[in-house]
Amino acid sequence: MPVEPSLPRHRLPHGSLAELTRGEGSPATLELIIGAERSRRLLLLRILDDATRLGPAWDLLSEAQRASPSVVDDVLMYPQTGMWLAGTLRRLRAPTARDEPPLWVDTGHVSALAAAAGLLAGVDFTIEVPVRHGRVPLPTLGCATVPATGPWTTATVRAEAGNAVVETPGATVAIPLPPGTPGPGWHAVRRLTVGPGEQRLEVVLDDVDPYRTYPRPTEPRPLSEEAAAQWRQVLGQAWAVLLREQPDTAEAMRRGVFSLSPTSARERFRPRSVTSGDAFGGIEVSEPDDAVQLAVTLVHEFQHTKLGGLLHLTPLLDRGADGGAERWYAPWRDDPRPLQGLLQGIYAFVGITRFWRTHRRGTHPRDSMAHFEFALWRAHVATAMEQVHGHPHLTPLGAALLDTLRDRCAQWLEDPVPEEPLALARLCAADHATRWRAHHLRPAAPAVDETVRAWLRGESGPPAALAAEPDVVLDPSARWLDSLAMLVRHHLGGRDDDRRSPEEPEKTAARVTGALTGDALLAVGDATAARNAYMARLAVEPGRAGAWAGLGRSLEMAGTEPAAARLLCRHPERARAVQTALCRAAGTPADPVRLAAWLGSSLPRPA
């Protein structure tokens, strides 16, 4: 019986795996990952053809590949192609009730993909493609604007003898060639090139592909020329920072970052950026505050990109971890995270910590921001890793990766940091963890009820049952747990209006979504005023988790009410749960400091 030949498998050699476990990755390693991603895309496209019979689109892609294989490779490896493929296959496997876009628009996007490949390969063709709210996007090229006769219709893309058009019953739009050329009714995708000579970064600034945003598609939103020019300028500045301070990372990025999908600016110091394992090489990013913030964001998301590529080749967790109910504290998130998500965050924020460690060397000695960021993120990463170090569901590679990153972080924890930013970083790291506990940890209800009865009877302390390990329960109200760190950044940020907090704490807090007046006072070290502000908030909102956590920090900073401070800094969830139950049982809340001191009377004093 003849033995069928086996297909080659993608493998990473030991050296490449060692690079990735250190949080690094050379251009050669990126090439290996990209080769595996190409095979994955081809497999997904074959699965989609088996499920839907792509017909004319498949034929056009095949013709374009015969004419110019590199063109089809470029279109296939475009990040948005991966996002579309994976999303459409998921939708076919598990149809949902959502109305937009209709399924045929998602599946029909393959025709737009084929049209783009055909145009770039220079073949003649005619094919029907979806129209989305009056726009006809062609991946990697741009989009045409046509009269909207409905939210979802079709248009014809026709190419003949070097001329190409998009046709609908009401309009004909010429597609200018070569790519990147604008024209009437045609918005070309912009390609940005920044950096000198052989250190150039070339990326697409994609504002029109529906699958440029993660995890859900959005319709095209073309940028103005002024906005695009601003993106080009800040990207050039960010790239200069990376070339100077992270040259090895920058060299790998040149091979592994393909597109940036711009979104609107966010609140200062709170950018939004997203990547997806399905969209290798693509980064969705909000308009940054400055070049350094964009440089940090690129490092952050490139870490996710590398790890996503690795995970397509080999798992970091065994099958027993799939779908588990275990949730963990992630210091960069408001919500509890599954183990896989926590590992993603650890990998990404190791990159951010490494960035700030290098960046602070080039800052002015009196510039505290970079020192603060380095000290904060090394503390956060160390906290996250200590939770899951040695977890039984880690594969050997997962354990090696975590051990390697943990050892590196341990070295960073020894690096000296100036006193003021170090103290602020420790304050913010502890505050975030305390707020998270106050929101997401739940003491057992019977123990809370027993504690309420003990309080009302005037007993000397809480029952032992309250000290049992609490459950992790998602609190949907947990938002903006990083507010204190944001206020510290405003204080260190250097603008004149950032330094008003001692006189105008309410105005300072109002600039940071989710911040309380007490947070603004705590950020500048006014512990007594912060205590009073938190007490005032708890009088109005007895269950406000952030106020309980902040009250504990203010008491600790002031050195007063040590029992209450210990309880609120270590176990704020107990005070919040008991106060809430007291309000139900007695109709009025207890004095927060007195209650916390009573609850903390049974805690051991620090040595």
Side-chain angles (χ1 to χ4, degrees), residues 299-527:
V299 169
H300 175 185
E301 298 303 341
F302 188 52
Q303 290 290 102
H304 283 305
T305 294
K306 290 183 294 184
L307 189 60
L310 176 63
L311 289 172
H312 284 161
L313 291 169
T314 183
L316 299 182
L317 300 173
D318 63 33
R319 292 184 179 275
D322 292 346
E326 227 175 12
R327 292 295 181 268
W328 302 89
Y329 169 55
W332 36 83
R333 297 276 302 213
D334 293 331
D335 56 332
R337 299 292 289 158
L339 184 55
Q340 184 77 271
L342 184 62
L343 292 179
Q344 278 279 0
I346 287 170
Y347 200 80
F349 282 92
V350 161
I352 285 181
T353 308
R354 184 177 63 226
F355 174 90
W356 286 112
R357 183 172 185 260
T358 303
H359 184 68
R360 70 195 188 112
R361 297 172 187 164
T363 60
H364 192 280
R366 288 177 293 181
D367 182 359
S368 295
M369 182 72 84
H371 295 296
F372 167 78
E373 297 288 1
F374 169 64
L376 178 66
W377 292 116
R378 72 178 180 180
H380 279 335
V381 169
T383 295
M385 285 195 286
E386 287 307 314
Q387 294 180 97
V388 295
H389 177 250
H391 195 285
H393 285 312
L394 289 165
T395 65
L397 178 62
L401 182 145
L402 197 60
D403 285 345
T404 303
L405 298 182
R406 183 169 174 259
D407 290 345
R408 174 163 289 191
C409 189
Q411 296 172 10
W412 293 343
L413 289 170
E414 299 298 321
D415 287 359
V417 175
E419 182 177 350
E420 181 192 9
L422 178 60
L424 288 169
R426 286 173 172 168
L427 172 67
C428 292
D431 178 76
H432 189 281
T434 305
R435 289 174 191 246
W436 188 93
R437 288 189 65 97
H439 275 287
H440 298 300
L441 297 190
R442 294 285 187 277
V448 172
D449 293 340
E450 184 182 351
T451 303
V452 168
R453 290 192 294 270
W455 169 267
L456 294 175
R457 288 195 301 265
E459 295 184 10
S460 60
L466 191 65
E469 190 68 23
D471 294 326
V472 178
V473 179
L474 175 65
D475 180 357
S477 73
R479 299 287 305 280
W480 320 113
L481 303 190
D482 60 353
S483 294
L484 183 62
M486 294 299 145
L487 288 162
V488 167
R489 291 182 176 106
H490 277 277
H491 179 61
L492 298 176
R495 295 183 185 177
D496 290 340
D497 63 349
D498 286 331
R499 302 186 179 276
R500 300 181 306 183
S501 51
E503 297 79 21
E504 299 176 299
E506 294 85 1
K507 290 184 179 179
T508 301
R511 298 206 309 265
V512 174
T513 303
L516 303 174
T517 300
D519 300 336
L521 292 162
L522 197 63
V524 295
D526 193 341

Side-chain angles (χ1 to χ4, degrees), residues 165 170 196 207 325 335 341 414 455 478 556 578-579 604:
V165 296
D207 50 356
D335 56 332
E414 299 298 321
W455 169 267
E556 181 184 58
V578 171
Q579 184 77 299

Side-chain angles (χ1 to χ4, degrees), residues 190-240:
R190 299 176 179 89
R191 286 169 168 77
L192 306 185
T193 301
V194 297
E198 294 184 355
Q199 295 179 313
R200 291 193 306 269
L201 174 69
E202 299 178 1
V203 296
V204 174
L205 187 67
D206 195 334
D207 50 356
V208 295
D209 194 298
Y211 304 94
R212 72 194 183 281
T213 53
Y214 320 128
R216 287 174 294 277
T218 54
E219 298 314 309
R221 294 190 180 95
L223 293 174
S224 67
E225 289 300 325
E226 293 78 10
Q230 175 62 25
W231 272 99
R232 182 177 285 105
Q233 179 182 27
V234 73
L235 179 62
Q237 294 167 346
W239 189 242

Side-chain angles (χ1 to χ4, degrees), residues 249-280:
T249 297
E251 183 61 25
M253 278 185 189
R254 293 182 63 242
R255 191 63 193 96
V257 175
F258 304 150
S259 74
L260 299 181
S261 300
T263 60
S264 300
R266 305 256 294 182
E267 185 176 300
R268 190 177 175 209
F269 299 119
R270 274 181 172 150
R272 179 182 182 272
S273 60
V274 189
T275 53
S276 169
D278 294 323
F280 183 91

Side-chain angles (χ1 to χ4, degrees), residues 118-119 122-126 157-165 167 175 177:
L119 289 170
V123 302
D124 293 346
F125 66 89
T126 300
V157 180
R158 193 185 314 277
E160 186 176 359
N163 296 310
V165 296
E167 296 176 335
I175 304 175
L177 296 175

